[in-house]
Each structure stands twice: as C-alpha cells, then as structure tokens.
Amino acid sequence: KEKSKGNAEQAGFAREYCGKVEVELQKICDTILGLLDSSLISKASSDESKVFYLKMKADYYRYIAEFTDGEKKTVAAEKARQAYQEAHETAEKGLVVTHPIRLGLALNYSVFQYEVLSNPDEAC
C-alpha cells in the first residue's frame, strides 16, 4: 500500500517488520503444534477433547498457510486439511451435531476452504 503511494522507504520498513512478525508467529505455531503432536492429542481421553485438539492443530496449520507462500503454504494447507478431516471423522462418531466444538470445527473448516484454498463453493 505504501509503495503505491510513493513511499518506498515506508514500504521497505513495512516488509521488514512483516518478516519479523512472521518469524515470531511461525515459532509460536511450531511450539503449539509440537505440544499437540507430542502429548495433547495422544493423551486425549474423550472424543470431545480429541476433536478439540485436532481442530486446534488444523487451525494452527491454517494460520501458517495464511501467512506463508509457495511450498510452505502448500504443506501447511495439506496438514490443516488432514487434521480437519480427522477431527471431522472423530466428531461424527462421538459428538452430537449441535455440540459447540463440532459446530466450531465446521465453521473453521469453512473458513479454511474459503480463505486458504480459495474454494467458496466448498465453504458453503
């Protein structure tokens, strides 16, 4: 935006700051994903908690896909899709259709379809 206004210097500062924020965000996402994979999902004792953690895993991969490009985006989007799918399958078996976590899963998967995959027909 700044570049289009003729503020090349400001645009450079904005790019630099954006890069710093993305590095920090990637570290946070990696830490949370590590916790989910190393202990939380495997120790989930109910379908409700398992769906919650799988949805959380998918959401964090979606966040990564939203701020990355190229191969990183593709990999993160595929991992998000797999986690959403596993959460959906678990929710179908163990949660009623009106359960808040199942509804949140459906909403977030729809956002993923629309925002990350640019697939508005599937999002509906």
Side-chain angles (χ1 to χ4, degrees):
K1 190 173 181 179
E2 290 298 320
K3 191 174 182 180
S4 67
K5 293 180 185 177
N7 297 333
E9 184 179 11
Q10 294 298 327
F13 292 143
R15 269 193 308 279
E16 181 183 340
Y17 184 70
C18 197
K20 289 179 182 179
V21 170
E22 288 174 359
V23 167
E24 186 174 336
L25 187 55
Q26 183 71 53
K27 286 180 188 175
I28 292 167
C29 290
D30 290 344
T31 300
I32 292 168
L33 288 166
L35 286 170
L36 288 164
D37 284 334
S38 68
S39 62
L40 294 173
I41 294 171
S42 62
K43 293 180 182 174
S45 58
S46 67
D47 285 338
E48 181 179 41
S49 58
K50 186 169 184 179
V51 170
F52 178 82
Y53 291 135
L54 285 167
K55 176 187 157 299
M56 189 175 178
K57 177 180 177 176
D59 290 343
Y60 275 88
Y61 276 119
R62 175 172 55 93
Y63 303 151
I64 293 169
E66 287 175 345
F67 70 83
T68 56
D69 294 318
E71 184 65 22
K72 282 185 179 183
K73 179 180 182 124
T74 304
V75 169
E78 177 57 22
K79 288 182 178 182
R81 189 200 61 74
Q82 290 171 353
Y84 280 128
Q85 182 65 39
E86 188 177 350
H88 175 74
E89 290 168 1
T90 305
E92 279 187 321
K93 291 186 297 182
L95 302 179
V96 295
V97 295
T98 56
H99 193 288
I101 294 174
R102 187 168 174 181
L103 292 171
L105 171 64
L107 175 64
N108 289 16
Y109 185 63
S110 180
V111 169
F112 169 72
Q113 287 285 336
Y114 189 86
E115 294 290 332
V116 176
L117 300 182
S118 300
N119 195 352
D121 292 336
E122 288 294 318
C124 294

